[in-house]
Tab-separated table of all heavy atoms in Angstrom:
chain	number	residue	atom	x	y	z
A	1	ASP	N	-58.393	-0.528	-42.667
A	1	ASP	CA	-57.644	-1.216	-43.667
A	1	ASP	C	-56.508	-1.995	-42.964
A	1	ASP	O	-55.795	-1.478	-42.199
A	1	ASP	CB	-57.012	-0.276	-44.638
A	1	ASP	CG	-56.187	-1.001	-45.687
A	1	ASP	OD1	-56.770	-1.613	-46.548
A	1	ASP	OD2	-54.919	-0.964	-45.609
A	12	ILE	N	-45.517	2.345	-34.578
A	12	ILE	CA	-45.679	2.651	-33.109
A	12	ILE	C	-44.668	1.747	-32.345
A	12	ILE	O	-44.115	2.279	-31.439
A	12	ILE	CB	-47.106	2.312	-32.717
A	12	ILE	CG1	-48.041	3.464	-33.297
A	12	ILE	CG2	-47.232	2.468	-31.107
A	12	ILE	CD1	-49.482	3.249	-33.105
A	18	PHE	N	-37.490	2.853	-29.823
A	18	PHE	CA	-36.559	3.972	-29.946
A	18	PHE	C	-36.636	4.805	-28.696
A	18	PHE	O	-35.626	5.315	-28.177
A	18	PHE	CB	-36.864	4.833	-31.193
A	18	PHE	CG	-35.998	6.027	-31.393
A	18	PHE	CD1	-34.774	5.977	-31.792
A	18	PHE	CD2	-36.466	7.307	-30.941
A	18	PHE	CE1	-33.918	7.106	-31.913
A	18	PHE	CE2	-35.713	8.392	-30.967
A	18	PHE	CZ	-34.404	8.296	-31.550
A	94	GLY	N	-9.650	-9.796	-20.222
A	94	GLY	CA	-10.662	-10.394	-19.335
A	94	GLY	C	-10.147	-10.848	-17.959
A	94	GLY	O	-10.858	-11.724	-17.352
A	98	GLN	N	-8.699	-7.611	-10.581
A	98	GLN	CA	-7.418	-6.842	-10.462
A	98	GLN	C	-7.490	-5.866	-9.363
A	98	GLN	O	-8.423	-5.109	-9.220
A	98	GLN	CB	-7.202	-6.073	-11.875
A	98	GLN	CG	-6.745	-7.021	-12.965
A	98	GLN	CD	-6.206	-6.165	-14.106
A	98	GLN	OE1	-5.014	-5.715	-14.135
A	98	GLN	NE2	-7.024	-5.724	-15.064
A	117	ILE	N	-7.485	3.860	-9.735
A	117	ILE	CA	-8.188	3.527	-11.074
A	117	ILE	C	-8.584	2.040	-10.992
A	117	ILE	O	-7.776	1.140	-10.648
A	117	ILE	CB	-7.143	3.665	-12.175
A	117	ILE	CG1	-6.686	5.208	-12.298
A	117	ILE	CG2	-7.874	3.382	-13.576
A	117	ILE	CD1	-5.666	5.438	-13.295
A	165	HIS	N	16.893	1.519	29.206
A	165	HIS	CA	17.738	0.548	29.920
A	165	HIS	C	18.939	0.170	29.146
A	165	HIS	O	19.988	0.197	29.746
A	165	HIS	CB	16.832	-0.641	30.136
A	165	HIS	CG	17.542	-1.813	30.835
A	165	HIS	ND1	17.812	-1.714	32.239
A	165	HIS	CD2	18.074	-2.913	30.395
A	165	HIS	CE1	18.467	-2.859	32.584
A	165	HIS	NE2	18.572	-3.568	31.437
A	185	GLN	N	46.714	2.986	36.147
A	185	GLN	CA	47.549	1.979	36.658
A	185	GLN	C	46.953	0.490	36.022
A	185	GLN	O	46.892	-0.464	36.906
A	185	GLN	CB	47.548	1.977	38.149
A	185	GLN	CG	48.163	3.148	38.716
A	185	GLN	CD	48.148	3.264	40.236
A	185	GLN	OE1	47.509	2.456	40.773
A	185	GLN	NE2	48.706	4.241	40.857
A	186	VAL	N	46.583	0.578	34.894
A	186	VAL	CA	45.965	-0.645	34.373
A	186	VAL	C	46.984	-1.233	33.151
A	186	VAL	O	47.675	-0.380	32.514
A	186	VAL	CB	44.619	-0.459	33.693
A	186	VAL	CG1	43.581	-0.195	34.788
A	186	VAL	CG2	44.574	0.704	32.751
A	216	GLY	N	11.817	8.242	9.082
A	216	GLY	CA	11.648	7.615	7.692
A	216	GLY	C	10.486	8.146	6.913
A	216	GLY	O	9.408	8.383	7.509
A	222	GLU	N	11.026	0.900	-2.807
A	222	GLU	CA	12.312	0.550	-3.129
A	222	GLU	C	12.579	-0.910	-3.176
A	222	GLU	O	11.625	-1.613	-2.839
A	222	GLU	CB	13.322	1.105	-1.972
A	222	GLU	CG	13.298	2.609	-1.636
A	222	GLU	CD	14.083	2.873	-0.494
A	222	GLU	OE1	14.869	2.092	0.033
A	222	GLU	OE2	13.948	4.167	-0.029
A	224	VAL	N	13.786	-4.071	-1.563
A	224	VAL	CA	14.015	-4.331	-0.121
A	224	VAL	C	14.352	-5.809	0.001
A	224	VAL	O	13.518	-6.727	-0.561
A	224	VAL	CB	12.828	-3.912	0.752
A	224	VAL	CG1	13.099	-4.252	2.125
A	224	VAL	CG2	12.414	-2.488	0.542
A	226	PRO	N	13.961	-8.913	2.018
A	226	PRO	CA	13.032	-9.366	3.208
A	226	PRO	C	13.880	-9.894	4.347
A	226	PRO	O	13.541	-9.494	5.529
A	226	PRO	CB	12.188	-10.452	2.576
A	226	PRO	CG	12.861	-10.892	1.314
A	226	PRO	CD	13.641	-9.743	0.796
A	236	ILE	N	16.821	-4.582	16.800
A	236	ILE	CA	16.274	-3.634	17.666
A	236	ILE	C	15.647	-4.377	18.881
A	236	ILE	O	15.778	-3.983	20.028
A	236	ILE	CB	15.202	-2.846	17.005
A	236	ILE	CG1	15.780	-1.924	15.940
A	236	ILE	CG2	14.370	-2.026	18.017
A	236	ILE	CD1	14.843	-1.222	15.054
A	256	THR	N	14.135	-13.337	-3.355
A	256	THR	CA	14.059	-12.164	-4.250
A	256	THR	C	13.786	-10.891	-3.543
A	256	THR	O	12.966	-10.927	-2.672
A	256	THR	CB	13.040	-12.472	-5.341
A	256	THR	OG1	13.321	-13.762	-5.921
A	256	THR	CG2	13.032	-11.384	-6.387
A	260	ALA	N	8.870	-2.520	-2.239
A	260	ALA	CA	7.982	-2.165	-1.170
A	260	ALA	C	8.542	-0.811	-0.507
A	260	ALA	O	9.613	-0.338	-0.839
A	260	ALA	CB	7.958	-3.329	-0.089
A	263	ASN	N	10.040	1.464	5.169
A	263	ASN	CA	9.720	1.917	6.452
A	263	ASN	C	8.420	1.320	6.978
A	263	ASN	O	8.245	0.906	8.151
A	263	ASN	CB	9.543	3.487	6.381
A	263	ASN	CG	10.204	4.072	7.639
A	263	ASN	OD1	11.241	3.808	7.989
A	263	ASN	ND2	9.381	4.898	8.214
A	297	ALA	N	-3.452	-21.445	-8.408
A	297	ALA	CA	-4.678	-20.767	-8.734
A	297	ALA	C	-5.840	-21.243	-7.921
A	297	ALA	O	-6.667	-20.359	-7.472
A	297	ALA	CB	-5.109	-21.018	-10.245
A	298	GLY	N	-5.939	-22.475	-7.661
A	298	GLY	CA	-6.964	-22.949	-6.689
A	298	GLY	C	-6.951	-22.478	-5.355
A	298	GLY	O	-7.943	-21.979	-4.770
A	308	ARG	N	-3.808	-13.659	-5.659
A	308	ARG	CA	-3.675	-14.183	-7.009
A	308	ARG	C	-2.580	-15.312	-7.159
A	308	ARG	O	-1.711	-15.310	-6.178
A	308	ARG	CB	-3.388	-13.055	-8.040
A	308	ARG	CG	-2.104	-12.290	-7.727
A	308	ARG	CD	-1.941	-11.147	-8.787
A	308	ARG	NE	-0.593	-10.484	-8.626
A	308	ARG	CZ	-0.370	-9.746	-7.730
A	308	ARG	NH1	-1.211	-9.310	-6.797
A	308	ARG	NH2	0.909	-9.077	-7.750
A	309	ALA	N	-2.655	-16.070	-8.134
A	309	ALA	CA	-1.603	-17.147	-8.204
A	309	ALA	C	-0.145	-16.547	-8.442
A	309	ALA	O	-0.112	-15.477	-9.203
A	309	ALA	CB	-2.046	-18.128	-9.279
A	334	GLU	N	-12.268	-6.365	13.059
A	334	GLU	CA	-13.313	-5.336	13.238
A	334	GLU	C	-12.620	-4.034	13.514
A	334	GLU	O	-11.696	-3.948	14.221
A	334	GLU	CB	-14.176	-5.671	14.470
A	334	GLU	CG	-15.150	-6.839	14.227
A	334	GLU	CD	-16.096	-7.155	15.342
A	334	GLU	OE1	-16.115	-6.218	16.197
A	334	GLU	OE2	-16.712	-8.185	15.392
Side-chain angles (χ1 to χ4, degrees):
D1 180 75
I12 291 172
F18 176 79
Q98 285 195 84
I117 301 175
H165 178 73
Q185 298 178 354
V186 291
E222 303 175 10
V224 181
I236 293 177
T256 304
N263 223 49
R308 61 187 187 278
E334 291 181 10

